[in-house]
Amino acid sequence: MWSVEFKSLRSLNNINKSTRAIMIPSLLPMTCSLIQTLFQAGSLSLIMGCTPNASHSPVFLLLGFSKARVSPGLLFFLFLAIYLVTIIGNMTLMLLISRDSRLHSPMYYLLRGLSMIDMGLSTVTLPQLLAHLVSNYPAISAARCLAQFFSFYAFGVTDTLVISVMALDRYVAICNPLHYHSMMNRQLCAFLLALSWVVSIVHTMLHVGLLLPLYWAGDAEGNVKLPHFFCDHRPLLRASCSDIRSSELAIFLEGGFLMLGPCALIVLSYARIGATILRLPSAAGRHRAVSTCGSHLTMVGFLYGTIIWVYFQPPSQNSQEKDMVAAVMCTSITPLANPFVYSLRNKDVKSALHRLLGRGRADS
């Protein structure tokens, strides 16, 4: 009896082995075909609304100022003046901070890094705009467009992060002045600047990854018209013939989460700064503390106001002109304002400039 049961169990086990031997090879091609079908479905969903000539790498025409009421020649000289003043102003500020020993504090170390970032932000967009204003064919290849997009976001996001780090610097300087130089030392400032760059580059690579799968359908000559003066994510998404709903949602959510950190740091820092200033016994001390934050608060208003206006308002086809104005503020006016805000409202920088000019006259 036991031998009969054992034989039946062994035969059942052999049947199961043979069944598994048949099923496993048959499951492998089924799985591969399922994965292939999913990829094909994802690709089809991207090109569903596209014409047969849609491409990943078209030629983009940047037509942001093509319908401007001002002549291209006047716009050329206006943006040329803005770019030259931005470069000269920020380079002068960097020179003052590097050469004057009285400006070798953590705040000015961060300010020097901010000036370098502002020069990069202007250089990414304005020279190309100047070339397109004097050209009848304001074209940019897909590779150059993507490179400009990456560079603009890398500099722009780093700018916002460094501004928030400077709020932390002001918090330590006012709320814990006795330990300011030991806490906000050169090593920590360099680490925070490097961390800002790393976070910015990772954030930018995520946005580039969302743009790479998209298709754009050009005209008869293969050109895609962008109603903007540089390659920004909103005009690129609007011009795409792919389904962009998931990309728009991902960019909005990821960008919103990224902005929460710097905004929270700025708000909390200035909340503590305000509470500390109100507890100061003398009016002169309160005025001095407020004056040290005035320049930084002005730059926070410039930068974060334009960023929120451009990138966190509901997308609308009727807001392209407003987007253009805010983008000009972000790419041109904010980098231009930085050296003037920190020089005209800062006695230390003005004194350093006078010493540098006086030394130049003495040497001559």
Side-chain angles (χ1 to χ4, degrees), residues 111-133:
L111 181 58
R112 185 175 62 182
L114 184 67
S115 294
M116 184 185 69
I117 294 167
D118 283 338
M119 286 195 298
L121 189 62
S122 292
T123 303
V124 166
T125 55
L126 292 187
Q128 178 187 266
L129 172 61
L130 293 173
H132 285 173
L133 285 173

Side-chain angles (χ1 to χ4, degrees), residues 158-212:
T158 307
D159 205 353
T160 62
L161 296 176
V162 172
I163 286 285
S164 66
V165 170
M166 293 176 74
L168 177 65
D169 171 82
R170 293 298 82 207
Y171 161 72
V172 177
I174 293 176
C175 299
N176 201 352
L178 297 178
H179 300 91
Y180 172 59
H181 287 280
S182 61
M183 294 176 65
M184 294 296 296
N185 53 60
R186 182 67 64 89
Q187 290 76 18
L188 179 61
C189 291
F191 170 76
L192 292 174
L193 284 175
L195 182 63
S196 298
W197 275 107
V198 171
V199 172
S200 173
I201 290 173
V202 172
H203 165 81
T204 305
M205 290 176 67
L206 290 174
H207 281 226
V208 171
L210 290 171
L211 289 177
L212 283 176

Side-chain angles (χ1 to χ4, degrees), residues 249-320:
L249 182 62
I251 288 174
F252 182 82
L253 292 178
E254 194 273 336
F257 280 122
L258 178 69
M259 291 295 294
L260 280 178
C263 288
L265 182 60
I266 292 172
V267 171
L268 293 175
S269 296
Y270 275 102
R272 295 295 301 273
I273 288 171
T276 302
I277 290 175
L278 291 176
R279 290 199 298 267
L280 293 177
S282 65
R286 289 194 293 270
H287 176 74
R288 186 166 56 252
V290 170
S291 65
T292 62
C293 302
S295 301
H296 181 257
L297 280 173
T298 303
M299 292 308 300
V300 169
F302 263 119
L303 184 62
Y304 280 83
T306 54
I307 288 174
I308 291 172
W309 178 263
V310 175
Y311 299 108
F312 293 97
Q313 61 174 335
S316 171
Q317 294 292 335
N318 298 324
S319 64
Q320 290 179 357

Side-chain angles (χ1 to χ4, degrees), residues 15-73:
I15 292 172
N16 289 335
K17 285 182 179 179
S18 61
T19 305
R20 287 196 298 268
I22 295 171
M23 289 179 63
I24 290 174
S26 63
L27 283 175
L28 290 176
M30 289 174 59
T31 306
C32 293
S33 63
L34 178 60
I35 294 173
Q36 185 178 5
T37 302
L38 290 174
F39 275 110
Q40 289 174 351
S43 179
L44 286 173
S45 66
L46 285 175
I47 64 174
M48 191 176 297
C50 297
T51 58
N53 67 338
S55 171
H56 280 301
S57 54
V59 174
F60 295 102
L61 297 181
L62 299 177
L63 304 176
F65 288 102
S66 61
K67 297 181 180 179
R69 300 175 183 175
V70 184
S71 66

